[in-house]
């Protein structure tokens, strides 16, 4: 199997770097005491009660995939690869030593090892290759787990997932689709025909602004028809261009008919490099294992995707999947932060007790666990709705609304969440050696790319306005599993009134989307979570008793049960 092969190769490569089990001889000045235990040796799938139950209910056939990937998240050697890939980030090689432009990027071997593991696990492809139903849900599970391994690689896997939506049904892209679905990652710089697997990027954002793509300045001039493809020559730039060593990119260029979607192979069929010139790599706050660059196109060869002038519509049809991926990815990121926080607080003492048992810290951990469970369930609901897009109008409408709602909310909450999880670690959490620091720096990114928080709110309003029946489907979904208490019922009644208003002021879009997200989370918890857990979520988030700060639940003996439910086995 590809995953086993990739794992064996990576284990051999990192064995020398993994931390020794026995520390060196102690120094004479002090003993190292009361440092938290490393958080490894667990399975992020089998130890996750929420995820396990969701898979058992909706796609039991993916249990083996999820179990394998869950083991990677808890594997000390794989965790070390993530550290290495982030500490030794990508480097631009604009020229070779003879002065020829090569426009390439070099990575630490750990990056390629992680890419091989992710691709072997089908994190990028399972939705399209599954022979069983619920492929998007099953892939969401893989992505949720992968985001507990290493987030930088989550960018190329998410883009490959979306890319297949653009390749489908277009004969000129048949080979691209076939190679993109491959589980045999191939980092070589070769024409597509010679590769075992293709990696795909997206390049829309230009200097003048990424939210309003109608202002795209790059131009595309028609050259002719080549092997069934409409060929164009592009001139312009892209200000953000992640994974610049990808084999091909979707991009936007202005033609005589307006902004059009183009596809740019990195290496042309004859083996020559396409004219994609990397200006520099971005020095990023987080996501440091992954390369993001600025590029220029100068007579760059491209193929038209779809119709001229309909490029933004084409790209947005793929964006549904990348947005879903970041809703799921942020839920995974929060789950990893929770695992780390519980592990730390359970293996370090303070004031004569395990820190996890200190009343305020227990409140923080329980509150994080509630937040994580709600984020997971709502993202998975959006994934299940995506599975029904072709077969059910109700599910299509729900997917249309729930995807920007969950992208908005999960990505927004991830920043607050990782900050609190970091604080659980005290000063150790602020030091980059600690994986929680990496998550903290990563978290804000998901709210920016693939549509910012404001863009998601605007998209929710657009969906409600333009899709007849979307409002009714959403309201039916959030009330269809019943309510838990008067506060829940009155929250839904007010939401219904506000959403049914003749016109919604755009200035209220964030507030409204927030309440839609909470309503969706509550309904998923009513449906799937143990009653006391769902009740805690609803009383705190919908009932107005939560201070808006994590750890402000009403104190109670049940908080420790909530934390136990979220504890992975290595920490017991
Ligand atoms: C690490 C990283 C990697 C990236 N990789 C890629 C990539 O590979 N490909 C790619 O195409 N892009 C990429 N991006 C770019 C990203 O998609 C854009 O940054 C994002 O879409 C926002 O565009 P902008 O930065 O130009 O901000 P702007 O569009 O200038 O927006 C700035 C702020 O104004 C708000 N705003 C804008 N319009 C409105 C409005 N009408 N109403 C209310 N608020 C508004 C936005 O929400 C945002 O808060 C990457 C970004 C980062 C940080």
């Amino acid at each position: 199997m590809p995953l086993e092969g990739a794992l064996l190769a990576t284990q051999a490569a990192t064995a020398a770097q993994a931390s020794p089990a026995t520390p060196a001889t102690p120094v004479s000045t002090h003993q190292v005491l009361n440092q938290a235990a490393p958080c490894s040796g667990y399975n992020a799938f089998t130890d996750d009660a929420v995820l396990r139950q969701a898979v058992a209910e909706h796609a039991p056939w993916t249990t083996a995939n999820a179990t394998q990937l869950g083991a990677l998240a808890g594997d000390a050697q794989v965790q070390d690869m993530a550290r290495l890939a982030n500490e030794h980030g990508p480097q631009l090689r604009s020229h070779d030593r003879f002065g020829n432009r090569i426009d390439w990027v070099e990575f630490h071997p750990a990056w390629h090892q992680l890419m091989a593991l992710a691709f072997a696990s089908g994190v990028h492809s399972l939705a399209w290759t599954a022979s069983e139903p619920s492929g998007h849900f099953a892939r969401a599970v893989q992505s949720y787990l992968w985001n507990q391994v290493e987030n930088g690689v989550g960018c190329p896997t998410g883009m490959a997932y979306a890319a297949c939506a653009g390749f489908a049904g277009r004969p000129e892209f048949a080979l691209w689709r076939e190679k993109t679905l491959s589980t045999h990652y191939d980092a070589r710089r070769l024409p597509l025909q010679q590769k075992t697997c293709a990696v795909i990027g997206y390049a829309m954002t230009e200097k003048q602004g990424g939210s309003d793509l109608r202002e795209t300045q790059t131009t595309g001039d028609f050259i002719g028809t080549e092997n069934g493809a409409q060929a164009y020559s592009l001139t312009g730039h892209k200000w953000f261009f992640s994974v610049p060593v990808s084999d091909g990119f979707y991009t936007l260029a202005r033609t005589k008919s307006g902004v059009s979607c183009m596809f740019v192979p990195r290496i042309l069929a004859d083996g020559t490099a396409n004219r994609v010139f990397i200006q520099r790599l971005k020095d990023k706050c987080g996501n440091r294992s992954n390369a993001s660059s600025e590029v220029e196109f100068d007579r760059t060869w491209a193929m038209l995707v779809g119709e001229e002038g309909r490029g933004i519509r084409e790209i947005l049809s793929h964006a549904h999947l990348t947005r879903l991926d970041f809703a799921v990815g942020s839920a995974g990121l929060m789950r990893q932060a929770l695992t780390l926080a519980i592990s730390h607080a359970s293996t370090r003492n303070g004031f004569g007790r395990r820190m996890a048992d200190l009343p305020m810290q227990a409140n923080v951990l329980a509150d994080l666990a509630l937040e994580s469970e709600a984020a997971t369930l709502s993202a998975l609901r959006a994934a299940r709705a995506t599975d029904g897009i072709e077969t059910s109008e109700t599910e299509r409408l729900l997917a249309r609304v729930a995807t920007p709602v969950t992208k908005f909310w999960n990505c927004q909450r991830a920043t607050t969440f990782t900050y609190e999880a970091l604080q659980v670690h005290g000063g150790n959490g602020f030091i980059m050696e600690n994986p929680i620091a990496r998550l903290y720096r990563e978290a804000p990114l998901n709210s920016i790319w693939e549509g910012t928080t404001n863009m998601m709110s605007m998209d929710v309003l657009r969906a409600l306005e333009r899709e007849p029946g979307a409002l009714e489907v959403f309201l039916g979904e959030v009330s269809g599993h019943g309510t838990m208490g008067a506060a829940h019922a009155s929250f839904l009644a007010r939401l219904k009134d506000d959403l049914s208003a003749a016109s919604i002021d755009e200035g209220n879009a964030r507030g409204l989307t927030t309440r839609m997200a909470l309503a969706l989370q509550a309904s998923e918890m009513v449906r799937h979570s143990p009653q006391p857990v769902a009740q805690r979520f609803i009383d705190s988030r919908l009932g107005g008793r939560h201070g808006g700060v994590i750890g402000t639940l009403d104190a109670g003996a049940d908080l420790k049960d909530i934390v136990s439910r979220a504890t992975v086995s290595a920490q017991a």
Side-chain angles (χ1 to χ4, degrees):
M1 265 189 78
L3 177 57
E4 281 157 10
L7 188 54
L8 281 175
T10 53
Q11 281 171 341
T14 55
Q17 290 139 350
S19 312
T22 314
T25 314
V27 291
S28 59
T29 55
H30 68 287
Q31 278 184 297
V32 178
L33 294 175
N34 197 30
Q35 286 283 11
C39 182
S40 54
Y42 63 94
N43 187 307
F45 172 65
T46 56
D47 290 350
D48 183 334
V50 179
L51 192 63
R52 236 182 24 238
Q53 183 186 325
V55 167
E57 188 174 341
H58 301 294
W61 58 267
T62 203
T63 301
N65 296 327
T67 304
Q68 278 189 313
L69 192 43
L72 293 187
D75 184 302
Q77 288 185 4
V78 176
Q79 291 171 348
D80 208 47
M81 279 177 221
R83 177 186 69 77
L84 287 166
N86 281 278
E87 273 183 20
H88 306 281
Q91 295 205 345
L92 176 61
R93 290 279 169 261
S94 58
H95 296 78
D96 68 12
R97 68 193 174 99
F98 306 105
N100 302 303
R101 273 207 87 122
I102 53 171
D103 295 283
W104 204 242
V105 179
E106 281 177 359
F107 292 85
H108 188 278
W111 166 264
H112 294 298
Q113 290 159 356
L114 289 164
M115 286 286 282
L117 286 174
F119 276 71
S121 305
V123 177
H124 65 306
S125 62
L126 189 58
W128 311 110
T129 57
S131 53
E132 303 278 347
S134 305
H136 289 282
F137 169 84
R139 196 214 82 94
V141 170
Q142 295 297 89
S143 178
Y144 177 85
L145 291 167
W146 183 267
N147 275 279
Q148 298 176 58
V149 177
E150 205 282 318
N151 305 102
V153 166
C155 169
T157 55
M159 291 195 289
Y161 168 47
C164 288
F167 296 148
R170 292 182 168 135
E172 67 274 30
F173 289 105
L175 189 61
W176 282 101
R177 180 177 159 84
E178 181 191 319
K179 302 270 176 166
T180 303
L181 292 177
S182 164
T183 50
H184 298 275
Y185 170 65
D186 183 347
R188 293 174 302 164
R189 193 173 189 229
L190 292 172
L192 180 69
Q193 290 72 6
Q194 296 174 40
K195 296 202 62 167
T196 57
C197 177
V199 176
I200 307 295
Y202 279 82
M204 286 83 74
T205 307
E206 297 183 354
K207 290 188 175 97
Q208 73 282 348
S211 301
D212 189 357
L213 297 174
R214 296 168 305 180
E215 298 301 321
T216 297
Q217 303 295 305
T218 295
T219 56
D221 295 315
F222 182 62
I223 308 171
T225 303
E226 298 178 19
N227 299 325
Q230 307 281 299
Y232 286 72
S233 171
L234 307 189
T235 304
H237 81 284
K238 297 294 161 184
W239 182 232
F240 281 95
F241 189 89
S242 293
V243 204
V245 294
S246 297
D247 298 286
F249 302 87
Y250 286 97
T251 191
L252 291 174
R254 186 172 291 283
T255 67
K256 58 182 171 18
S257 306
V259 178
S260 307
C261 183
M262 300 283 169
F263 188 80
V264 177
R266 194 72 167 74
I267 306 293
L268 299 173
D270 64 4
T272 57
N274 202 355
R275 295 175 63 79
V276 174
F277 301 112
I278 304 177
Q279 303 304 296
R280 56 177 174 163
L281 296 189
K282 303 280 195 190
D283 184 9
K284 296 180 284 184
C285 163
N287 198 255
R288 294 188 66 88
S289 61
N290 181 20
S292 299
S293 67
E294 298 161 18
V295 296
E296 290 190 0
F297 297 147
D298 178 9
R299 289 164 289 140
T300 305
W301 192 89
M303 301 153 79
L304 179 68
V305 183
E307 289 173 48
E308 262 200 32
R310 294 175 69 82
I312 295 176
R313 182 178 285 255
E314 173 71 31
I315 287 288
L316 287 181
S317 73
H318 311 193
H320 172 83
L321 298 178
T322 42
R323 289 170 180 179
L324 171 63
D325 195 41
F326 286 119
V328 168
S330 284
L333 188 149
M334 286 189 266
R335 177 61 240 202
Q336 192 195 358
L338 174 65
T339 298
L340 293 171
I342 295 176
S343 172
H344 181 92
S346 303
T347 56
R348 184 171 168 94
N349 295 331
F351 296 86
R353 297 159 83 172
R354 278 186 346 142
M355 292 195 126
D357 295 331
L358 298 167
M360 268 188 286
Q361 202 68 311
N363 198 322
V364 168
L365 295 173
D367 215 357
L368 288 173
L370 291 181
E371 192 79 29
S372 165
E373 182 156 347
T376 302
L377 291 174
S378 58
L380 292 178
R381 181 66 187 99
R384 283 196 288 120
T386 299
D387 275 313
I389 282 178
E390 303 291 336
T391 52
S392 156
E393 179 62 0
T394 305
E395 290 297 283
R396 185 188 77 76
L397 290 171
L398 182 64
R400 176 68 188 86
V401 179
T403 300
V405 165
T406 50
K407 192 320 187 157
F408 162 92
W409 187 241
N410 285 359
C411 299
Q412 195 70 13
R413 294 302 288 167
T415 303
T416 305
F417 193 105
T418 49
Y419 161 66
E420 288 293 351
L422 183 152
Q423 202 177 134
V424 168
H425 290 73
N428 288 328
F430 199 65
I431 305 306
M432 284 308 293
E433 280 175 346
N434 196 307
I436 191 66
R438 196 171 71 231
L439 294 185
Y440 175 71
R441 288 170 63 139
E442 180 76 20
L445 177 56
N446 288 353
S447 287
I448 295 171
W449 57 10
E450 296 309 321
T452 61
T453 298
N454 286 358
M455 290 301 106
M456 289 305 97
S457 309
M458 207 186 269
D459 193 41
V460 171
L461 294 196
R462 194 182 301 126
L464 293 176
E465 191 184 303
R466 296 191 189 165
E467 295 274 5
L471 172 61
E472 292 72 20
V473 164
F474 184 79
L475 289 173
E477 174 70 22
V478 297
S479 54
H481 305 299
T483 52
M484 268 187 194
H488 190 182
S490 75
F491 184 93
L492 290 180
R494 269 184 285 124
L495 179 64
K496 183 177 177 191
D497 286 348
D498 291 346
L499 286 174
S500 307
S503 73
I504 296 171
D505 189 324
E506 196 176 294
N508 290 327
R510 269 187 179 225
L512 209 52
T513 310
T514 298
R515 287 187 287 133
M516 290 172 76
L518 290 171
L520 182 63
Q521 292 189 323
S523 86
E524 282 302 290
M525 292 199 65
V526 167
R527 183 164 173 209
H528 296 288
S529 305
Q531 193 275 341
V533 177
Q535 192 71 63
R536 274 291 193 171
F537 180 84
I538 287 162
D539 289 348
S540 56
R541 271 60 173 185
L542 277 55
R545 287 194 56 79
H546 198 249
V549 172
I550 295 289
T552 56
L553 297 169
D554 289 333
D558 62 319
L559 296 187
K560 71 174 185 338
D561 300 331
I562 296 175
V563 178
S564 296
R565 184 157 175 274
T567 302
V568 299
S569 63
Q571 302 156 12

